[in-house]
Amino acid sequence: MKKAVFIKEGQVAIKDAPMPEIIEQDDAVIRVVRTCVCGSDLWAYRGDDAKEAGSDNSGHEIIGIVEKVGAAINTVKAGDFVIAPFTHGCGHCAACRAGFEGGCQSHSAATNFSNGYQAEYVRYTHADWSLVKIPGQPDDYSEGMLKSFLALADVMPTGYHAARVANVKAGDTVAVVGDGAVGLCAVIAAKLRGAKRIIIMSRHEDRQQLALEFGATDVVAERGEEGIAKVLELTNGDGVDAALECVGTHLSTETAIAIARPGAVVGRVGVPHTGDINVGDYFMKNTIFAGGPASVTTYDKAVLLKAVLDGDINPGKVFTQTYKLSDIDQAYKDMQERKTIKAMITID
Amino acid sequence: MKKAVFIKEGQVAIKDAPMPEIIEQDDAVIRVVRTCVCGSDLWAYRGDDAKEAGSDNSGHEIIGIVEKVGAAINTVKAGDFVIAPFTHGCGHCAACRAGFEGGCQSHSAATNFSNGYQAEYVRYTHADWSLVKIPGQPDDYSEGMLKSFLALADVMPTGYHAARVANVKAGDTVAVVGDGAVGLCAVIAAKLRGAKRIIIMSRHEDRQQLALEFGATDVVAERGEEGIAKVLELTNGDGVDAALECVGTHLSTETAIAIARPGAVVGRVGVPHTGDINVGDYFMKNTIFAGGPASVTTYDKAVLLKAVLDGDINPGKVFTQTYKLSDIDQAYKDMQERKTIKAMITID
């Protein structure tokens, strides 16, 4: 079977790899129907992170058909159409019961997250509780619907996580810091949870337009001090009830803190590259820092899959270009050059 | 009138001071009935914080009788018996409306907090929304009830703040890190909010006993790694749903993080002396950091005054010794030497 691997800075390629097999009793093997490129895949591609030639890409988002399952799997069977969350919770530990399966206490970090999933087939660890069954088969759905299902493997639940940990509720004024696929999905999530006003901080016109389509009410194109001043001006100096930080840099985190009113939550889902932001520094403002890896299975099962099936949300629109697996290097290049918001990959 | 001032490390004294007057239209002058010594007063007394000879102590907790009010005060009048919260919110800005008057957006930090209140009379800034009226007069109440009213000026609402920002709810397992007056009040708050299990981390037997009386179900006397291991053992390895950090040191904060299950909140009210605890470091665990100056008026009016009047809670028990204002230096000494949990001061 074919699989994308990292070659060097600026190059990924397809190689032949052995068919994945059931190793543990709670494994599933999944035939991939759609995969995609994540912003986090670009760290090594840009040369910002060191990575060994020939190693797996971090790609971790798929929808697919269950090919076979281990003896401990009771919830899905061969032939089922599934979303494969990037988090693989057990569903019964204290962390999972509280809806934080990104920190599942039954599994090691090594097997609790997906990796190397830009491939024709994958081995999915801890599959029993984690996989999310989609009714019917891929052929029953439009390409747009398949895109939205694929968004449910990571970016949409991750945007939702920002809004959930920030306790976004009806009537709130929310700012989303960052206009990547996750930031755009955070706009969808804020609207789904009833936010009255949603300010997107975005410098790119295509992303601003999609944010407005998803429910944003205001766009702030400025960054840094100017961006902060603009958000405060838009909120009569109050600041926002929740700041959804969807980038992870020092600037985006400091921005989120500055635009949050006292006691507001910074819901952060951008993998932190923040440097020295000390928890003690924001005590007097009662700033609440929340967030981490999303609770994909929890949100998909409770809220998001139904919202997609009912047509209430359309997160698949973040996939603005589609590529064949054999063209995946071009998909990486176009994402890096911002020619596409997020690149979907079909299996040839 | 008499007022306690800081003389030097290890010494405070009473001096004559001019009667405070109404300066701003929203001021009140209050005749102090009871005041007390706060743990934070001890920083300078111990010599850990530099302080000028003859300057005000940070004492900021009183109950008293309104002596006179400015023209903008409509909620209280001369003769009213009041709790004087250490936070002086406006009640109508976005921060106050959200229940975070410690960050009141209408007031400067200089006038939003009490200071220098170990005195016969005080000037209370921004009094209109902030003061909390107690029915009747001091003579209508027992000494124990007066102690509980005094606890409502800071320590009880501060303990409640830890539990509120940590979202403690019915059935939760909660740990309280720290056995000072605030930590003990956090035990009361956790019980009031319905926590099923309350673990107090305390090394002092008198405080352990009071914590148990207040509703703690388990005592952990160990500190550091041993204390963490003990809490995890008590919770079958799960960790707690909420960790109430009532000290503010690096050790107490790291302990709170370590005993919190993924996605749990560290509700922190100890003024931070934490050093380098970076928000990025706890991302993978979804640790939520919340807290800051308490919302005294909000909690007193909504929950705590009624709970005291009804006899449901008895936070005044943290005052284990009473001193005359003229003996205040002894009160400081005894608190520093842990001969009393918290020292109440009567006005001679």
Side-chain angles (χ1 to χ4, degrees), chain B residues 162-186:
Chain B
R164 176 250 182 147
V165 297
N167 194 28
V168 172
K169 56 191 184 310
D172 276 358
T173 293
V174 176
V176 176
V177 184
D179 63 1
V182 170
L184 294 166
C185 287

Side-chain angles (χ1 to χ4, degrees), chain B residues 91-134:
Chain B
H92 58 72
C93 70
C96 284
R97 288 198 314 272
F100 287 95
E101 62 258 34
C104 175
Q105 294 167 304
S106 303
H107 303 152
S108 72
T111 60
N112 202 48
F113 296 101
S114 303
N115 202 36
Y117 276 14
Q118 291 159 348
E120 290 181 328
Y121 292 85
V122 307
R123 172 183 164 230
Y124 191 92
T125 53
H126 308 308
D128 197 46
W129 177 78
S130 188
L131 289 176
V132 179
K133 209 168 146 178
I134 302 168

